[in-house]
């Protein structure tokens, strides 16, 4: 048993089967790997026939079924998680902040990272409100307000025809029934969040066991030095209490916003008197209290710290009580008869019979719920200004907040001036409208995005090439903005799709009885333009790829070469992978940034357009307006099917290897991070995988010398996303375990992707913490393998050992083989000669009796 070393392999996003991880042949009759620890979802596997005397044992950790795994009974649920991708991206933005202190307990709410975190959490709350406002619009506006007769209600699955006649059709009572839609959605999100606490509730076990007394390298554990990386926080991967508390705030805020939509509309149309006042005032005050408490609580350590007890606390109980009062008051007010103060609500709704005879007077007029369009428009503009503030503060610090804050104040003053509220000033010019102020306000706010970047105090020299912070430090805004655009697209598409079904196929943007909100019509046009901009960006990427491929081909086949036609064909294939490697590693971040700039301009113009409260085209368009109408209708139709497309892609992730390898990259990167900003996002698989790997490693290394399972050292071998998991595990382990570990990373994105997008964890000034944790008298226990044909694997600049793996091994068959050696690009690293040679060398160092044992850490 002496000198036994274990190689623990952790796969990437492809969910490589355990047999393939272990290098076994996929023969149907061959013995299958046996599970030695874990369960059917996450398990540790070894090849059959491995004995206790084998000097080198390979073990595979399979975690892929937590995200993009094989077919399971939860495939449908996980496919629906894809619809929550906007929440995932917004949550990831919190971890993309530059300047996060190494010790999270040292982060102050007024610091650069603290202010950015608060803004991001506010933005995440606004995303929840966007979804709630959308579903409220479906239930309250499209169904409860505009769908007034049985013919229209009959197109809705379920027994809803009773809303078209009798007591329920009078006043605003149908709106109370329409509130069931957002309440059902929030209940579903709450149940899903509650069910996924199992990920965050996973704790490492056995990592505090004392080292074996008989171990020759055992030393007393030194005092833990101050943390130099946030991933060293022992509570980083345990956030059950934080998620519970934040989920209560989000769900209660969603209920309050859902209630505020019909409550505000009814109070504006029919000012309350008498009993209605007694009911309305507490409901309005409670809605405001919920929003205020949520906004304040999102900045408090009570919510932002992941340590501490899990109980919900007084904040959660208080906000839940106010929410109950707001919802109860709203429902009671909607069920009361009309008051005498305003216009009867029946006069503002579409007249009955429009579904059967749209030619009736008033049927084809826009009779949508008053004020709902403004709610959607103001919410979108506020989110855009919030995104700009996030990017400005993340890049330049608190000073940059002055620009978006000034823009918001000036815009509010401008709106008040147009409304005649600023009496000392002269009246606003007649042609001036609210929408004309939107673009200048966004331009003023954007000044904060171009201020000089705040650099870390220790950054004395520029980072290595292609290692600089992504998007100039504006990464949180770019990532959160991507989630916002996707959320807006999903919401607009859902509203348009429902309106289309209620109109029985009639185009909702034309003369129709059920009218979607005007921002939805502009959303279709903007979506079509955004697709054109995306096509231009992809064309630019294609040109870059072609140029890089020609350059790589010239390097592999220089003038005067003596290569055969067969070898030249192989050179072309290799050059394509070389070009893809450089395109992803050197240009992808820049291309995304340029598209983000174009999208920001488009969104700013769109926000101004929706504030104009006019359609992008006449209902009966002719000439050039007809072209705009066609483009907008096509964009709206595509938006309508976008949620179905996302859910379909989410289902294919678990059934198709090609889709899993492409889409799974985005999904698994997003769900790697814990839910520290948006509690309703899909759960983090790392909150279960990291503690399990900790438990396994510490448990094996703590075994006594006479235990047959005993190992003297572990090679922690991570491929692609698995290398990121391994890095997180190493930073969580105690020093007595790290001195007996060597890290292998291959196909790794630690520098070019994670280091640039998440600089506070893997940037040039934080990644050396990982190398330092693995450094002892024998050197740095970290070897990184990479290929210049691997689009996702690059060298890692942290002072460790980088080994280039030759790929392909040759241009033509050799050694009696008849097939060309494969171009492995991102796969097959353990089969490479360089990998096997390095593993043999490291295994010798980890075995007892090496002249210079690895100590310290």
């Amino acid at each position: 048993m002496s000198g036994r070393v274990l190689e623990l392999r952790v796969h990437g996003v492809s969910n490589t089967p355990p047999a393939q991880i272990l290098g076994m042949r996929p023969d149907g009759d061959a013995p299958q790997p046996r599970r030695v620890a874990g369960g059917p979802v996450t398990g540790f596997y070894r090849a059959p026939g491995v004995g206790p005397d084998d000097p080198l044992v390979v073990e595979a950790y399979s975690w892929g079924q937590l995200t993009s795994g094989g077919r399971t009974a939860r495939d449908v649920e996980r496919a629906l998680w894809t619809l929550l991708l906007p929440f995932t991206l917004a949550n990831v933005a919190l971890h993309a902040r530059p300047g996060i202190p190494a010790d999270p307990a040292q982060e102050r709410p007024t610091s650069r990272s603290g202010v950015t975190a608060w803004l991001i959490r506010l933005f995440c709350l606004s995303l929840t409100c966007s979804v709630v406002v959308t579903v409220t619009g479906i239930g309250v506006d499209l169904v409860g307000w505009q769908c007034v007769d049985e013919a229209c209600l009959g197109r809705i699955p379920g027994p809803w025809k009773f809303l078209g006649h009798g007591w329920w059709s009078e006043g605003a009572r149908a709106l109370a029934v329409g509130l069931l839609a957002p309440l059902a959605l929030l209940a579903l999100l709450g149940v899903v969040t509650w069910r996924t606490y199992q990920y965050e509730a996973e704790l490492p076990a056995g990592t505090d066991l004392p080292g074996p007394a008989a171990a020759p390298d055992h030393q007393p554990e030194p005092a833990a030095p101050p943390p130099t990386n946030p991933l060293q926080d022992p509570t980083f991967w345990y956030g059950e209490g934080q998620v519970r508390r934040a989920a209560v705030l989000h769900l209660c805020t969603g209920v309050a916003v859902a209630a505020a939509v019909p409550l505000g509309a009814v109070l504006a149309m029919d000012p309350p008197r008498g009993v209605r006042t007694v009911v309305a005032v507490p409901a309005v005050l409670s809605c405001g209290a919920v929003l205020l408490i949520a906004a304040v609580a999102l900045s408090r350590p009570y919510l932002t710290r992941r340590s501490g007890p899990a109980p919900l606390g007084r904040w959660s109980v208080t906000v839940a009580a106010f929410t109950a009062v707001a919802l109860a008051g709203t429902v009671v007010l909607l069920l009361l008869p009309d008051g005498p103060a305003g216009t009867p609500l029946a006069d503002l709704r579409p007249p009955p019979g429009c579904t059967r005879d749209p030619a009736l007077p008033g049927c084809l007029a826009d009779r949508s719920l008053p004020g709902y369009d403004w709610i959607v428009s103001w919410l979108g503009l506020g989110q855009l200004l919030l995104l700009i503030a996030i990017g400005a503060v993340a890049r330049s610090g608190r000073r940059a907040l002055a620009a978006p804050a000034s823009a918001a104040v000036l815009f509010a003053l401008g709106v008040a001036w147009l409304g005649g509220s600023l009496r000392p000033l002269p009246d606003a010019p007649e042609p001036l409208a609210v929408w004309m102020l939107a673009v200048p306000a966004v331009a003023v706010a954007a000044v904060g995005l171009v201020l000089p970047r705040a650099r870390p105090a220790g950054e004395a020299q520029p980072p290595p090439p292609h290692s600089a912070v992504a998007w100039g430090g504006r990464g949180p805004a770019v990532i959160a903005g991507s989630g916002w655009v996707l959320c807006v697209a999903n919401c607009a598409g859902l509203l348009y799709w429902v309106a289309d079904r209620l109109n029985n196929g009639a185009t909702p943007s034309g003369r129709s009885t059920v009218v979607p909100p005007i921002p939805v019509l502009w959303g279709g046009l903007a979506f079509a333009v955004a697709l054109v901009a995306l096509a231009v960006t992809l064309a630019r990427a294609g040109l870059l790829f072609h140029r890089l491929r020609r350059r790589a081909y010239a390097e592999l086949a220089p003038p005067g070469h003596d290569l055969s036609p067969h070898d030249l064909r192989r050179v072309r294939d290799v050059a394509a992978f070389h070009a893809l490697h450089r395109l992803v590693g050197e240009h992808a971040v820049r291309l995304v940034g340029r598209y983000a700039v174009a999208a920001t301009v488009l969104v700013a113009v769109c926000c101004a357009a929706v504030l104009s409260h006019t359609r992008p085209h006449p209902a009966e368009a002719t000439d050039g307006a007809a072209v705009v109408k066609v483009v907008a209708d096509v964009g709206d139709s595509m938006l309508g099917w976008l949620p179905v497309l996302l859910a379909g892609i989410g289902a294919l992730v678990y059934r198709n290897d090609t889709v899993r390898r492409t889409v799974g990259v985005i999904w698994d990167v997003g769900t790697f991070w814990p839910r520290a900003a948006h509690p309703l996002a899909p759960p983090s698989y790392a909150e279960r995988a990291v503690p399990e790997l900790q438990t396994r490693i510490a448990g094996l290394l703590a075994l006594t010398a006479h235990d047959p399972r005993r190992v003297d050292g572990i090679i922690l071998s991570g491929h692609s996303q698995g290398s990121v998991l391994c890095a997180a595990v190493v930073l969580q382990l105690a020093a007595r375990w790290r001195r007996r570990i060597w890290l292998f990373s291959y196909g790794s994105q630690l520098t070019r992707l994670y280091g640039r997008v998440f600089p506070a964890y893997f940037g040039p000034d934080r990644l050396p913490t990982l190398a330092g944790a693995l450094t002892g008298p024998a050197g740095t226990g970290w070897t990184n393998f990479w290929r210049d044909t691997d689009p996702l694997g690059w060298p890692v600049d942290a002072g460790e050992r980088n080994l280039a793996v030759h790929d392909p091994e040759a241009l033509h068959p050799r050694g009696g083989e008849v097939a060309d050696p494969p171009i492995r690009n991102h796969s097959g690293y353990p089969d490479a000669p360089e990998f096997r040679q390095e593993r043999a060398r490291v295994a010798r160092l980890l075995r007892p009796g090496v002249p210079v044992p690895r100590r310290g850490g």
Side-chain angles (χ1 to χ4, degrees), residues 20 26 74 101 114 123 148 157 212 235 250 282 302 316 363 371 422 481 552 674 700 710 716 750 778 781 789 793 843:
Q20 187 175 342
R74 301 182 64 187
F123 177 77
V148 295
T235 66
H250 276 249
Y302 140 89
S316 302
C363 284
L422 301 181
L700 290 176
R710 153 89 176 181
L716 190 55
L750 283 172
T789 57

Side-chain angles (χ1 to χ4, degrees), residues 591-673:
L591 290 172
V592 172
R594 291 177 177 175
Y595 183 73
V597 172
T600 302
V601 175
L602 176 61
V603 168
V605 174
C606 190
C607 285
V610 298
L611 286 172
S612 67
H613 205 60
T614 57
R615 291 168 171 255
H617 52 77
E620 296 178 357
T622 57
D623 300 330
V627 177
V628 176
K629 183 178 185 302
V630 170
V631 174
D633 287 344
V634 171
D636 280 319
S637 298
M638 296 174 66
L639 284 176
W641 290 102
L642 182 62
V644 179
L645 176 63
L646 290 176
I649 293 175
L652 287 177
V653 165
Y654 310 105
R655 290 171 168 81
N656 185 280
D657 290 339
T658 302
V659 177
R660 180 159 53 235
R661 290 190 179 95
T662 52
V663 180
V665 172
I666 301 175
W667 185 254
D668 286 1
V669 169
T671 54
F672 168 78
W673 299 101

Side-chain angles (χ1 to χ4, degrees), residues 158 330 571 589 632 769 797:
T330 300
V571 164
V589 171
T769 301
D797 306 312

Side-chain angles (χ1 to χ4, degrees), residues 698-712:
L700 290 176
L701 293 178
L703 293 174
T704 62
H706 302 288
D707 195 304
R709 298 168 296 172
R710 153 89 176 181
V711 295
D712 293 283

Side-chain angles (χ1 to χ4, degrees), residues 163 166-174 334 338 349:
L163 297 176
W167 186 80
W168 285 103
S169 64
E170 300 173 358
R173 294 178 180 125
L334 295 178
D338 292 352
R349 299 176 67 186

Side-chain angles (χ1 to χ4, degrees), residues 68-93:
S68 56
R71 298 188 180 186
T72 67
R74 301 182 64 187
D75 279 359
V76 175
E77 178 183 342
R78 291 172 180 166
L80 294 177
W81 284 355
T82 313
L83 299 178
L84 301 180
L85 184 57
F87 295 169
T88 302
L89 294 173
N91 182 73
V92 171

Side-chain angles (χ1 to χ4, degrees), residues 177 352 361 365 513 539 550 608 612 667 727 744:
V177 179
T513 57
R550 291 181 57 186
S612 67
W667 185 254
F744 277 8

